[in-house]
Amino acid sequence: MAITDKIYVKNHQQIASQLETSFPKGAFKGATMDMLFQAENLAKLDDATQDRVLDFATDFMDCACEANPHCGHPEEKFVSYLLDLRAQGLGPDAIVDVMGDDYMLYAYPGDVLSFLDGAVRTLEAVETLADVDGRDDAASEARRKREELL
Ligand SMILES: [Zn+2]
């Protein structure tokens, strides 16, 4: 499962009761995105929640794809966001705190840790393959990115 399948809406119960409906806990579930990003639903949320939902939409759902938000870009952008936080030196617990403050989302620190480990291993594999192929630029780019995550 991708890390974005393990990102949850923090105050899920509260939001569901404000909307007077239920939706999945997973932030990147299609039904969650469809539910939260309708203007009439947004209007039912309290101001603090509305701000976070709008920040999320601005930061991750701003592509012009016809299939938006089901085009895969929100997930890709969220993965970059996580990797950026790691590159800034944050550990899994701090990353979970920041996504809570920024977007009212949460994840289990253990899942974030596995995700970061997986990213490092992927970059190691890319580096090795690029080395074997004699593609020095690609190899050093992968090495640079990997070192940022350590
Ligand atoms: Zn897109």
Side-chain angles (χ1 to χ4, degrees):
M1 262 208 315
I3 184 68
T4 46
D5 292 326
K6 299 173 187 168
I7 305 294
Y8 305 101
V9 176
K10 202 172 178 180
N11 46 352
H12 176 257
Q13 284 297 347
Q14 195 192 326
I15 293 179
S17 79
Q18 287 176 22
L19 296 178
E20 297 174 324
T21 186
S22 66
F23 61 92
K25 254 188 173 173
F28 288 91
K29 297 273 187 217
T32 304
M33 294 201 280
D34 287 342
M35 180 65 62
L36 286 179
F37 301 105
Q38 286 171 23
E40 69 267 30
N41 283 334
L42 260 182
K44 293 183 196 161
L45 300 172
D46 64 67
D47 289 350
T49 307
Q50 225 178 74
D51 283 350
R52 278 7 185 282
V53 171
L54 285 174
D55 281 347
F56 182 89
T58 310
D59 293 346
F60 302 110
M61 298 167 65
D62 60 338
C63 59
C65 302
E66 204 171 317
N68 178 308
H70 309 292
C71 54
H73 292 124
E75 286 86 344
E76 271 177 32
K77 286 176 186 164
F78 195 81
V79 162
S80 304
Y81 163 75
L82 294 177
L83 294 174
D84 277 351
L85 292 176
R86 178 61 187 163
Q88 289 167 34
L90 273 58
D93 290 300
I95 290 174
V96 171
D97 285 346
V98 170
M99 75 171 79
D101 289 345
D102 285 353
Y103 306 112
M104 281 189 188
L105 299 176
Y106 76 91
Y108 295 101
D111 288 336
V112 175
L113 181 65
S114 321
F115 160 73
L116 293 171
D117 283 348
V120 168
R121 279 197 303 272
T122 303
L123 288 167
E124 268 169 7
V126 169
E127 193 181 325
T128 305
L129 284 174
D131 268 338
V132 169
D133 274 356
R135 294 162 54 220
D136 294 342
D137 287 354
S140 62
E141 173 71 5
R143 187 174 311 115
R144 188 185 61 74
K145 283 189 181 165
R146 180 171 59 80
E147 280 164 359
E148 275 183 2
L149 298 180
L150 296 176

